[in-house]
Amino acid sequence: MSNIYTEQRTLRAAQRHAAAIFLVALCLRPAITAVGPLLGQIGAAEHLGETLLGVLGALPLLAFAAVSPLVHRVSGPLGAERAIFVALLLLAGGCVVRSYTGAPGLWLGTIVVGTAIAVGNVLVPVIIRRDYASHVSRATGFYTAAITVAASAASAVAVPLAAATDWRAALAVWAVLALVIGAVWLPRARAARAAAGQTRLAEEPAHPSVWRQPAAWLITAFMGLQSTTFYVLVTWLPTIDTDSGSSAQAAGVHLFVFQVLGIAGGLTIPLVLRRSASQVTGAVVACAPMLAGVLGLLLAPGLTVVWAAVAGLGQGACLVVALSLISLRGRTHRETTHLSGMAQSLGYLLAAAGPVAAGTLAEHTGGWHATLVLLAALAVTQLAFGALAGRRRRAAPAHGAAGPELHAART
């Protein structure tokens, strides 16, 4: 009887453990995705033109790029759990500063928000890799589903919240979510011992820097390209849609479909990853819908809702594949952290440039045809890099003196 009780208690503890990780995921997008629908109000209140509003929207992605490769310097001394707790507190503070400290605070708070989220972006996949080594893709699917649900919900409620209060409160409210989830995370942060974490890292074998590993660059390229195609469509799909004859209301619905279908894609792709000996099949299956969706927008724009749904399935699946590759290819927790930082740093830097380049191309050509052709080319390139990154490779020798390839593992 005591053994049964112990097993049940262990199971409940594991469930709480898992829930805490996915609750953290709920904080990693709302403070960003709530801004887009409110840009008009922010610009009117702070006297910002479209160019500065575009920079404001890109700042979190630029913060991701700048901070991601440095996260390991924080997570080493603190431990991943404590670093995430500090990031949640920073996120809450950034949301308040952004809303209530005037024009300088708007910019500073946005940078703090992006910095805090970057820490979670890098470390949560590392924790998933550590705690769910035999179910990485499945756990990553649930993690990305939580991110997508929270991001979509924040976009949907931003305008109604602002109408009931004002834009400042509609953005600051996400500080409450960060604090509540921080309180839930606190026991886990307390239980994690920084000294023990440092000991484990010290005992890990040394490996070549991920910046010198070809496999890491393949993963980084895949991460960057999937982020770019996603952010280009999130930014410009409504405009492309209305230019082809849809109403503004229909365009908003189509964007919602694009984002929500990402949940289904993210939850389905782990089934493909588990059944293949490598991640090549998963990468190809994930990228194909994105390519099909973009080609559909180019060749049959009257069926935008169909192509939005198809591309949405692809974007959700591609994110899971990218994060799974990061988790599976690292040979140690430290290497996984460095790989996550590298892939997300360069990946989000490319993503930040994508919408700007797409808009500039459309402006100079007088339409969206050239932009969609470019997006299709990016989708093809993304598929190629995904197939290359997904190939199984031999692990490097234990001493790390040769074989600079990251290893592959079954999902």
Side-chain angles (χ1 to χ4, degrees):
M1 183 66 70
S2 62
N3 288 338
I4 295 176
Y5 174 75
T6 301
E7 290 177 0
Q8 291 176 339
R9 186 173 61 182
T10 302
L11 178 60
R12 286 194 296 270
Q15 290 171 338
R16 290 193 298 271
H17 189 80
I21 293 175
F22 301 125
L23 285 175
V24 170
L26 295 178
C27 290
L28 298 183
R29 290 300 179 272
I32 297 175
T33 58
V35 173
L38 302 176
L39 280 177
Q41 298 181 44
I42 296 171
E46 300 295 337
H47 308 291
L48 301 176
E50 291 183 354
T51 299
L52 286 178
L53 288 175
V55 174
L56 183 68
L59 263 186
L61 296 180
L62 295 175
F64 292 174
V67 173
S68 294
L70 306 176
V71 170
H72 70 277
R73 298 183 183 275
V74 177
S75 63
L78 290 180
E81 282 80 2
R82 293 184 181 185
I84 287 176
F85 178 72
V86 172
L88 290 171
L89 295 182
L90 280 176
L91 177 58
C95 288
V96 173
V97 169
R98 178 176 62 179
S99 291
Y100 294 115
T101 58
L106 176 66
W107 298 96
L108 176 60
T110 300
I111 293 172
V112 172
V113 164
T115 298
I117 293 175
V119 175
N121 285 343
V122 172
L123 292 182
V124 172
V126 175
I127 293 177
I128 288 175
R129 187 255 182 172
R130 183 192 67 195
D131 294 350
Y132 300 93
S134 59
H135 303 287
V136 168
S137 297
R138 184 188 304 173
T140 302
F142 284 114
Y143 162 64
T144 58
I147 288 179
T148 304
V149 168
S152 302
S155 297
V157 304
V159 173
L161 280 176
T165 55
D166 59 21
W167 69 266
R168 299 180 190 277
L171 293 182
V173 69
W174 301 110
V176 177
L177 178 66
L179 289 175
V180 170
I181 293 178
V184 175
W185 187 260
L186 181 57
R188 181 165 176 173
R190 285 177 172 171
R193 296 180 179 178
Q198 288 177 312
T199 300
R200 286 193 298 271
L201 289 176
E203 293 172 352
E204 290 179 349
H207 293 294
S209 168
V210 293
W211 295 87
R212 298 198 301 270
Q213 300 185 39
W217 283 99
L218 291 174
I219 295 169
T220 297
F222 181 75
M223 180 72 185
L225 288 166
Q226 68 85 24
S227 296
T228 302
T229 53
F230 171 75
Y231 280 104
V232 168
L233 285 176
V234 163
T235 303
W236 292 116
L237 180 59
T239 304
I240 295 171
D241 202 5
T242 53
D243 280 5
S244 66
S246 296
S247 67
Q249 183 177 2
V253 171
H254 297 163
L255 180 60
F256 178 77
V257 168
F258 171 72
Q259 294 187 77
V260 168
L261 264 291
I263 300 172
L267 292 175
T268 304
I269 197 64
L271 300 176
V272 179
L273 290 170
R274 286 204 305 273
R275 291 175 181 174
S276 57
S278 69
Q279 288 78 48
V280 174
T281 302
V284 172
V285 169
C287 294
M290 176 60 77
L291 177 59
V294 173
L295 291 176
L297 290 172
L298 186 62
L299 302 175
L303 299 174
T304 300
V305 65
V306 174
W307 308 128
V310 171
L313 288 170
Q315 60 93 2
C318 285
L319 179 57
V320 171
V321 171
L323 294 177
S324 295
L325 287 172
I326 291 171
S327 297
L328 292 168
R329 289 297 188 265
R331 288 164 289 199
T332 63
H333 301 314
R334 177 168 55 189
E335 187 175 65
T336 304
T337 304
H338 285 235
L339 176 59
S340 183
M342 173 186 175
Q344 299 199 47
S345 173
L346 298 183
Y348 284 117
L349 185 62
L350 185 60
V356 177
T360 301
L361 184 60
E363 183 178 352
H364 281 80
T365 59
W368 292 98
H369 183 87
T371 298
L372 288 172
V373 170
L374 173 63
L375 202 57
L378 290 177
V380 171
T381 308
Q382 173 186 326
L383 190 153
F385 275 111
L388 291 172
R391 291 183 304 173
R392 294 179 64 82
R393 293 175 172 81
R394 257 190 293 178
H399 53 75
E405 296 287 355
L406 294 160
H407 90 299
R410 288 293 297 269
T411 55

